[in-house]
């Protein structure tokens, strides 16, 4: 069933775009020296950026340019997020839930669209993940800040990747596109929300380096203490009982060769 695309009603797709733009504007509103237009642009790119990157990679017309409503909804949501920042911050858990659902929808749409166009499985996984997190990447690039996706934090891209992997696995088992995509959205949202709730994140690469350094220091301290106390334990391989005779004869022969008997004294 790799020839079908997960299609959702236009209003649901626009709702996902609106949530992305709302979050992008809320995030950008906290930065100084950004005027109204700047915040609105950040919000718009946060909402439509993932779908835009998806369609660029797939070589198709971006959905945001194929219908007037995408840019209208993204712009309206961006201004709402900017103007009602304090009010919306009070319902942040609701927005987080909606955002988790939206990245699941974007991931399912991107992956199934890539598969329908004949892409292999691994590139389709990549396209689905980019479709889900591309808006946040563009937001950070435009704000000239480190890309949040590449730093330690709540699982975002990983949640999308897990959901898309489940989707493709179900499609490989001949599950219909709609049920498989719904499962993808649910799995993505659950992983994302559990990560936010319990603070799950991937380990920081410096943390791995610190573990290796700590182990190295422990070994160095053990060697230093052994040198001071004179109790260095070296691995010694004891000869087997059957080898004693051979080693003994071999050693005797070597001793005789090394220390030959003195010649007899001449009278």
């Amino acid at each position: 069933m790799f020839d079908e695309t997960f299609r959702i009603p236009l209003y649901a797709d626009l709702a996902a775009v609106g949530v992305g733009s709302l979050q992008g504007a809320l995030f950008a509103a906290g930065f100084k020296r950004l005027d109204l237009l700047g915040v609105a642009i950040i919000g718009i790119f946060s909402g439509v950026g993932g779908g835009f990157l998806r369609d660029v990679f797939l070589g198709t017309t971006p959905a945001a340019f194929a219908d007037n409503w995408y840019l209208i909804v993204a712009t309206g949501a961006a201004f709402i997020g900017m103007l009602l920042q304090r009010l919306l911050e009070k319902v942040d858990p609701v927005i987080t839930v909606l955002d988790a659902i939206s990245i699941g929808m974007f991931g399912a749409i991107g992956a199934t669209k890539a598969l329908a166009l004949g892409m292999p499985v691994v590139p389709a996984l990549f396209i689905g993940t980019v479709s889900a997190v591309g808006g946040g990447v563009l937001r950070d690039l435009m704000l000239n800040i480190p890309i949040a996706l590449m730093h330690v934090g709540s699982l975002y891209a990983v949640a999308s990747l897990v959901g898309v992997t489940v989707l493709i696995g179900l499609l490989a088992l001949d599950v219909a596109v709609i049920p498989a995509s719904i499962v993808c959205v649910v799995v993505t949202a659950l992983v994302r929300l559990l990560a936010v709730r319990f603070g799950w994140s991937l380990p920081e690469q410096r943390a791995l380096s610190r573990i290796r350094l700590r182990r190295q220091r422990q070994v160095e301290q053990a060697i230093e203490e052994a040198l001071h106390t004179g109790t260095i334990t070296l691995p010694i391989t004891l000869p087997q009982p059957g080898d004693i005779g051979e080693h003994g004869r071999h050693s005797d022969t070597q001793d005789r060769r090394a220390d030959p008997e003195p010649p007899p004294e001449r009278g």
Side-chain angles (χ1 to χ4, degrees), residues 23-41:
Q23 271 210 333
L26 285 172
F27 185 82
F31 285 78
K32 298 179 180 180
R33 303 184 65 83
L34 276 179
D35 58 13
L36 298 179
L37 181 60
V39 174
I41 291 175

Side-chain angles (χ1 to χ4, degrees), residues 6 13 58 181 199 229:
F6 176 49
D13 198 9
L58 294 177
S181 299
T229 59

Side-chain angles (χ1 to χ4, degrees), residues 115-138:
L115 292 172
L117 292 176
M119 273 198 172
V121 170
V122 174
L125 287 172
F126 174 76
I127 294 296
T129 305
V130 167
S131 178
V133 304
V137 173
L138 291 180

